[in-house]
Amino acid sequence: MPFIDANDNLIPEELKTDICIIGAGAAGITLARNLKTVKDIILVESGNFEMSGASQSLYKGKNLALKYYDLLKCRLRYMGGTTNHWGGYCRSNDPIDYEGRAELGLPKWPISKDELTPYINLAKTELDLKYDFFENTELLKDKKISKEQLLENHHPDFQTKVFQITKKRRFREIYKHELQKQTNLQVLLNLNAIHIQLNEQGDNVKEIIFKTIKGKKILIKAKKFILSCHAIENARLLLKSNDVAKTGIGNTYDHLGRYFMEHIYLKASKLIPSDSFPKLYDFKELRDSKLNANLSFSDNYTRENQLLQYYCRFYPVYVEDKEKDSLRNIKRNINEPYKYELYNDIKNLVNNFNDVKNFLISQFGFYNPAPKYYQLDHRIEQAPNPDSRIILSNDKDLFGMPLADIQWKLTDHDYRSFKLGQAKIVKELSAMGAGRFELEELTPDLIRERIKGHYHHIGTTRMSNLEEDGVVDKNCKVHNVNNLYVAGSSTFPTAGYSGPTMMIIAMSIRLANHLSNDFLYGPKK
Amino acid sequence: MIKILLCFFLPPILLLRYSNKIFLSLLSLTIWWCAIYFFLERSVSLGIVIYLALVTLVLYLTFQKYTGDKTQLKIKTHWIMVLLPLITLAFFTSTIVKRNIQGKTNLAKTQYSLTLGKQIYDDKCSLCHKLNDGNYVGPSLKGIFMRPAGKYPNYNYSKNLQTANFVWDEQKLVTFLNDQNGLIPETRMYISPLTNEELITLIHFLKNEQ
């Protein structure tokens, strides 16, 4: 069925359906496409097919603790959701990610690796990824890179982890026609969920109240509801709907909105390379061969040393920023009347002639000369932290809904993993004679000042076997609410090593499969 | 021959002292005037190009002088000798006068931090807009100043921007960034409010990146 603007007079003010999916991003679209056996599905999207400022403005929110990205910027509220700026980096979780390590506060996933693998394979096929995630031989062969260069061949504690990059990124465009042709599906645009109404007992969702920005109110009653509005929004909607469940839906044990996690990174320390530095890990070399490989540690080493997942990148630096600025300034000023700065910029370049020459050679793709140094880029998964959370603000959006602010905080496990990760890289590469390090001590202050995230929003409605430990169960159903499900990275108990989107797709296929079976054969006892 | 070559690379005043050929001195002077005029008043690159072009021309003439028909050359060089110094001198003096009148206002320009501008750009704009060619979630910001609104190729603008009839300049950008819907109702863009200082810093950065 074609996409319909919810403001259209054809849409009545009350709708009934089998499954109502809220949010048409990676999870929502995957769910809708895979619920083929369900007779009647409504997929609701707050935005339109194109981006609109009014809809995007509903994502306003403040940073209350560590400086995070502007919440208006790091997620997109229109058809396709945040896949509209997805980089396409895909990798399966590692076996260690599912284990749970109490000493780091990492809970065990209620789903095992074996249980999830078939769905990961389906997601992989869907995204046209052809290589194995754990066995790199074939991929490296295709890229004409010898496997001998991998550092795990020199030291068993290392493991090179490779991301595959999918071209199927913009779900809005890729699946537009397929969704339009799907006969059991109706896509309503410009419709915002503003309240989840539970029944009096609080164990069933009676209806969800929606509004359009133009003011039309629509009630949807469904046998099952799925929230797939993005990690922060899922928590916001559940926290906000607090008329029956006073602390928010699924929040009896105060886990809702907590454990907000990111894949954090920071740049610190330099490596002045020798000839023994393995060029395979030079990030520019990797980029030139369209490969994203990172130096990480084996599961055994990570486990034994109680580390969070850690990996390191080596960014070649040919010239300092000052010289880059000079080059840019010259490029700009050369077509302007002469200024004294031009003389200074040219003088600066002449003084650093060798570096500038190497930089230009590398930029114009002749070959990659040895850089001045490598900038180390340390990356870790964030440990779950109950204080890293979504908090409802006193400020309201245009529907009168409280905005979601973010309080992003780290723990000692995060600081420790950065520090030990760097120490291990330095120790082993120094022993190999790969070069000389100019180290910066990774103190909590330095880390807090420099960290950044990847717009990977994970946690907030974590999955757990027991209601006491989380918000949703292993089938993504909110504990003790019979017909409300949550999809997306908000359900992940741990952040793991990999970017979340492919895992979101895998988990959504699994949820769709579970719900399809429910509708066909009735719920499993 | 050495003197002839020198006249293109030494200031004419030096050449006047050493050369007894007024033709070479005047030609050299012309080159210097032209080059200096463009170098200082128009564009450094254009100044260099004109300088090289004139050097090539004079080298050609000189080559003709030693190999070709001398009578024809005489007429040509006389014509160039009179006209070029006059034109360039006129340009040069007029722009110097103009610069003296306008000069002081240019010096009063405040210096905004480009680093801070980049931070604001990274924080507020970069995820939707590129600074080089090509669209992303939003249209490219390359050449935004003096670009007709809603006209960057291959971007699906909102209806109101498609039909907008104005050109982006500093003032329009400030108005738009302060209130997107105020300038163009139902536009696709929405950003967190910026302070006045942040706005000016951002615009300064964007101008610098063009």
Side-chain angles (χ1 to χ4, degrees):
Chain A
M1 238 183 253
F3 301 161
I4 307 167
D5 181 352
N7 292 301
D8 197 313
N9 290 334
L10 288 171
I11 304 295
E13 291 187 354
E14 192 172 314
L15 288 160
K16 281 189 180 168
T17 182
D18 287 335
I19 291 188
C20 173
I21 305 167
I22 300 148
I29 290 177
T30 308
L31 281 161
R33 292 178 56 240
N34 285 278
L35 283 166
K36 295 231 165 83
T37 57
V38 178
K39 276 186 191 152
D40 191 12
I41 308 166
I42 294 180
L43 173 60
V44 182
E45 170 53 46
S46 158
N48 206 330
F49 195 77
E50 298 288 344
M51 194 173 184
S52 93
S55 171
Q56 189 67 20
S57 75
L58 299 168
Y59 270 160
K60 264 189 277 188
K62 291 194 288 286
N63 292 326
L64 301 178
L66 287 171
K67 190 177 180 322
Y68 192 63
Y69 297 107
D70 186 338
L71 292 179
L72 270 174
K73 181 192 128 175
C74 57
R75 42 204 181 135
L76 297 170
R77 197 170 172 126
Y78 63 108
M79 191 71 195
T82 309
T83 64
N84 284 302
H85 65 206
W86 180 31
Y89 292 85
C90 299
R91 194 170 183 278
S92 161
N93 271 357
D94 285 303
I96 196 174
D97 292 326
Y98 302 98
E99 285 173 11
R101 290 181 289 153
E103 67 279 9
L104 291 168
L106 299 170
K108 186 179 175 190
W109 280 50
I111 321 166
S112 69
K113 174 180 172 280
D114 292 342
E115 216 177 327
L116 204 50
T117 301
Y119 301 105
I120 291 175
N121 289 337
L122 286 173
K124 198 175 119 186
T125 314
E126 185 57 52
L127 295 169
D128 294 342
L129 303 170
K130 56 177 182 174
Y131 302 106
D132 191 281
F133 287 113
F134 302 111
E135 173 49 61
N136 298 325
T137 316
E138 207 185 329
L139 189 152
L140 293 175
K141 202 174 129 194
D142 282 1
K143 300 280 179 193
K144 298 189 175 62
I145 294 170
S146 148
K147 214 184 162 192
E148 299 305 306
Q149 291 181 57
L150 298 179
L151 277 181
E152 42 263 55
N153 296 321
H154 300 272
H155 202 293
D157 290 345
F158 284 133
Q159 189 183 337
T160 306
K161 295 184 179 175
V162 182
F163 281 98
Q164 292 178 55
I165 303 167
T166 178
K167 286 181 181 162
K168 288 177 90 173
R169 290 188 282 246
R170 308 284 173 255
F171 279 27
R172 177 180 67 122
E173 288 142 22
I174 295 167
Y175 298 117
K176 181 183 173 187
H177 295 297
E178 188 186 323
L179 292 176
Q180 281 174 338
K181 279 182 196 161
Q182 204 172 315
T183 48
N184 64 344
L185 176 71
Q186 195 174 358
V187 183
L188 295 182
L189 299 172
N190 302 316
L191 196 55
N192 302 276
I194 58 164
H195 188 74
I196 303 170
Q197 188 60 58
L198 293 180
N199 64 1
E200 281 174 17
Q201 295 75 35
D203 59 359
N204 235 34
V205 177
K206 207 167 104 190
E207 62 204 13
I208 293 190
I209 304 167
F210 293 86
K211 268 189 182 172
T212 68
I213 288 176
K214 289 183 179 163
K216 184 172 175 182
K217 187 176 167 186
I218 294 176
L219 293 182
I220 298 185
K221 292 177 192 280
K223 289 178 186 154
K224 291 182 193 299
F225 293 92
I226 310 171
L227 292 187
S228 54
C229 341
H230 179 274
I232 299 173
E233 277 313 274
N234 285 345
R236 178 187 176 206
L237 199 55
L238 290 170
L239 280 167
K240 185 264 157 193
S241 304
N242 58 356
D243 53 345
V244 177
K246 295 295 173 202
T247 52
I249 299 170
N251 198 23
T252 320
Y253 293 92
D254 197 17
H255 294 296
L256 180 60
R258 294 183 184 270
Y259 316 105
F260 172 83
M261 292 172 278
E262 252 284 6
H263 290 116
I264 37 186
Y265 74 96
L266 66 92
K267 287 183 176 168
S269 303
K270 297 171 182 176
L271 166 66
I272 295 122
S274 70
D275 292 342
S276 317
F277 178 81
K279 284 282 266 181
L280 166 67
Y281 296 93
D282 178 313
F283 206 73
K284 182 154 190 313
E285 292 266 340
L286 285 167
R287 210 163 35 203
D288 290 348
S289 38
K290 296 195 169 57
L291 192 65
N292 188 302
N294 304 284
L295 186 56
S296 184
F297 303 135
S298 67
D299 279 5
N300 276 343
Y301 182 81
T302 308
R303 204 178 287 123
E304 280 162 18
N305 290 277
Q306 301 184 357
L307 286 176
L308 294 163
Q309 287 262 23
Y310 167 95
Y311 65 103
C312 186
R313 284 182 181 169
F314 300 88
Y315 285 102
V317 176
Y318 293 97
V319 283
E320 299 293 350
D321 286 348
K322 203 179 156 203
E323 278 78 66
K324 275 190 195 167
D325 284 348
S326 288
L327 274 170
R328 223 174 34 208
N329 289 344
I330 291 174
K331 197 178 150 198
R332 194 182 55 248
N333 286 338
I334 198 85
N335 290 321
E336 300 284 321
Y338 174 78
K339 289 178 202 154
Y340 187 64
E341 291 103 289
L342 189 67
Y343 167 73
N344 278 338
D345 288 327
I346 291 172
K347 193 171 125 195
N348 186 24
L349 292 193
V350 171
N351 286 343
N352 298 287
F353 178 72
N354 214 22
D355 295 344
V356 175
K357 183 193 77 187
N358 282 344
F359 173 70
L360 291 176
I361 289 174
S362 72
Q363 283 299 299
F364 289 104
F366 303 119
Y367 64 95
N368 290 328
K372 200 171 170 186
Y373 60 85
Y374 287 105
Q375 174 74 67
L376 269 60
D377 179 339
H378 311 275
R379 293 163 179 245
I380 63 162
E381 66 169 321
Q382 187 182 346
N385 173 10
D387 288 337
S388 183
R389 60 184 291 207
I390 311 304
I391 294 175
L392 292 188
S393 163
N394 291 327
D395 300 331
K396 306 268 166 71
D397 68 10
L398 51 90
F399 298 113
M401 263 181 90
L403 299 172
D405 291 340
I406 189 165
Q407 177 178 289
W408 187 35
K409 285 188 171 177
L410 304 185
T411 60
D412 288 343
H413 301 309
D414 304 314
Y415 299 128
R416 183 174 166 275
S417 292
F418 270 125
K419 201 170 170 177
L420 294 188
Q422 167 165 292
K424 176 72 178 170
I425 295 279
V426 171
K427 185 182 159 203
E428 300 305 342
L429 289 191
S430 299
M432 282 171 52
R436 181 171 59 82
F437 283 90
E438 276 181 19
L439 288 181
E440 289 178 274
E441 196 189 342
L442 297 182
T443 60
D445 282 342
L446 180 140
I447 292 171
R448 276 194 293 266
E449 191 191 309
R450 290 196 196 168
I451 50 160
K452 286 187 174 172
H454 284 82
Y455 321 116
H456 295 168
H457 305 154
I458 304 165
T460 74
T461 66
R462 66 147 68 160
M463 181 186 279
S464 66
N465 278 322
L466 299 173
E467 191 189 359
E468 289 86 336
D469 299 330
V471 179
V472 300
D473 68 11
K474 65 179 289 185
N475 294 319
C476 301
K477 186 182 79 62
V478 176
H479 285 298
N480 283 338
V481 182
N482 296 323
N483 61 347
L484 181 60
Y485 293 78
V486 181
S489 50
S490 64
T491 61
F492 296 0
T494 65
Y497 169 86
S498 315
T501 312
M502 195 196 78
M503 292 302 292
I504 291 175
I505 294 165
M507 296 274 281
S508 301
I509 298 174
R510 179 177 172 272
L511 175 58
N513 198 34
H514 169 76
L515 290 175
S516 298
N517 287 339
D518 256 17
F519 271 84
L520 275 181
Y521 313 114
K524 270 186 197 169
K525 296 284 173 182
Chain B
M1 186 70 179
I2 292 166
K3 274 186 189 171
I4 296 163
L5 282 175
L6 271 181
C7 78
F8 308 119
F9 303 106
L10 282 176
I13 195 72
L14 280 180
L15 208 84
L16 277 170
R17 286 184 64 175
Y18 295 109
S19 171
N20 52 2
K21 289 180 182 163
I22 192 73
F23 153 67
L24 287 179
S25 302
L26 277 175
L27 212 53
S28 161
L29 202 64
T30 312
I31 293 168
W32 273 84
W33 276 338
C34 270
I36 289 171
Y37 165 71
F38 277 97
F39 194 83
L40 293 178
E41 297 297 329
R42 292 293 157 110
S43 125
V44 172
S45 56
L46 211 55
I48 295 169
V49 168
I50 288 176
Y51 180 79
L52 291 176
L54 285 171
V55 167
T56 315
L57 174 71
V58 173
L59 279 176
Y60 170 76
L61 291 176
T62 316
F63 182 72
Q64 286 282 309
K65 185 177 173 183
Y66 283 97
T67 58
D69 185 341
K70 288 185 183 177
T71 48
Q72 273 187 22
L73 182 78
K74 210 176 174 183
I75 301 158
K76 276 184 199 166
T77 47
H78 270 112
W79 187 77
I80 291 167
M81 271 167 61
V82 178
L83 214 59
L84 275 183
L86 281 177
I87 294 170
T88 50
L89 189 64
F91 258 127
F92 197 34
T93 44
S94 71
T95 47
I96 284 175
V97 171
K98 213 164 80 185
R99 184 193 256 195
N100 276 341
I101 299 164
Q102 293 176 347
K104 277 167 197 166
T105 50
N106 287 339
L107 288 174
K109 262 191 180 173
T110 324
Q111 289 295 308
Y112 291 98
S113 159
L114 291 177
T115 325
L116 197 61
K118 186 170 182 337
Q119 269 177 27
I120 300 169
Y121 168 78
D122 282 345
D123 196 32
K124 305 281 179 192
C125 324
S126 66
L127 214 72
C128 293
H129 297 282
K130 290 182 184 176
L131 281 169
N132 44 18
D133 288 318
N135 299 317
Y136 198 33
V137 177
S140 161
L141 292 179
K142 188 178 178 184
I144 180 73
F145 295 96
M146 304 316 286
R147 185 163 92 199
K151 301 291 181 293
Y152 193 83
N154 304 323
Y155 185 74
N156 185 8
Y157 285 95
S158 63
K159 273 182 197 158
N160 287 340
L161 249 174
Q162 278 177 25
T163 51
N165 188 20
F166 65 86
V167 170
W168 287 116
D169 57 18
E170 284 180 39
Q171 195 48 51
K172 281 280 184 211
L173 270 177
V174 169
T175 318
F176 183 65
L177 292 175
N178 264 326
D179 178 9
Q180 290 89 62
N181 273 308
L183 185 69
I184 304 142
E186 294 178 25
T187 181
R188 301 210 190 294
M189 187 174 129
Y190 187 88
I191 58 161
S192 306
L194 295 161
T195 63
N196 256 354
E197 190 68 16
E198 284 176 327
L199 253 177
I200 298 167
T201 313
L202 175 64
I203 298 229
H204 180 72
F205 168 77
L206 287 177
K207 280 198 105 166
N208 196 54
E209 287 294 315
Q210 299 299 313

